[in-house]
Amino acid sequence: VSGKFQGEAEAFKETVSSLTFLLFIAVFVMYVILAILYESYVHPLTVLSSLPVATVGGLATLWIFGSEMSLYAFVGLFMLMGIVKKNGIMMIDFAIQREAEGKDAYEAVHEACIARFRPILMTTLAAFMGAVPIALALGAASSARIPLGLTITGGLAFSQLITLYITPAIYLYFDEF
């Protein structure tokens, strides 16, 4: 006796494997663009260091609520990666500018954390509050989009708590290189 996927199940399996590959390609492209922007091989890793934390938060939220990894959940992961990456860029770019003005790395990243906290929090809360109705399945025929809302809300909440502390520490560690 053997089994295999056929029809829609087979097409979905192929789509998910393609999306996983696309996720890694997207991270590579982000690294290349950030490396060009910062003219550095190290600081893009600082910005991208928050992506695994956000991904774990989004996937853990799906697991906690017993939701499936659907096409909507993948869209949520892509959106989550973009928001979290943008938050990292705001902080690290500010710190790099302060270092270029002559401040030491600790003082530069400390000033960046203070100056960029409000814009980072505003962006995260706007995306979070926009995804809450999706996660709660409010609206007509919204039950299919629950994984999208769960991925975004869980990933943002978890990553915001962790990356506000980890990103500056990683910046200081990588700045030695």
Side-chain angles (χ1 to χ4, degrees):
V1 176
S2 67
K4 67 178 187 172
F5 290 105
Q6 289 183 330
E8 288 183 36
E10 183 180 17
F12 182 73
K13 180 182 171 191
E14 292 173 7
T15 301
V16 168
S17 66
S18 299
L19 286 174
T20 305
F21 179 69
L22 186 61
L23 199 65
F24 288 111
I25 295 296
V27 171
F28 176 73
V29 169
M30 285 186 251
Y31 174 80
V32 170
I33 290 171
L34 289 171
I36 292 169
L37 174 69
Y38 295 139
E39 297 176 354
S40 167
Y41 296 113
V42 176
H43 287 306
L45 294 175
T46 307
V47 172
L48 297 177
S49 66
S50 57
L51 295 184
V53 175
T55 304
V56 166
L59 294 176
T61 305
L62 286 175
W63 179 71
I64 289 169
F65 285 94
S67 189
E68 69 280 350
M69 185 64 187
S70 66
L71 187 60
Y72 286 112
F74 266 104
V75 170
L77 281 177
F78 279 104
M79 184 175 169
L80 181 63
M81 285 177 20
I83 294 168
V84 170
K85 179 184 59 81
K86 184 204 65 58
N87 289 345
I89 288 172
M90 281 198 294
M91 184 185 300
I92 300 307
D93 194 45
F94 195 87
I96 290 172
Q97 288 175 2
R98 292 301 174 257
E99 261 194 289
E101 294 173 358
K103 296 186 178 185
D104 69 322
Y106 181 81
E107 189 178 346
V109 78
H110 182 261
E111 192 174 321
C113 290
I114 292 171
R116 291 292 163 207
F117 178 72
R118 186 171 148 242
I120 289 171
L121 198 60
M122 287 171 39
T123 303
T124 301
L125 284 176
F128 183 86
M129 297 307 281
V132 166
I134 299 170
L136 296 175
L138 301 175
S142 60
S143 61
R145 293 184 295 274
I146 292 174
L148 170 69
L150 289 175
T151 304
I152 295 169
T153 55
L156 283 175
F158 187 67
S159 71
Q160 191 68 35
L161 291 174
I162 301 297
T163 58
L164 285 175
Y165 297 104
I166 289 178
T167 303
I170 291 173
Y171 176 81
L172 290 173
Y173 179 74
F174 281 162
D175 194 60
E176 295 174 9
F177 298 109

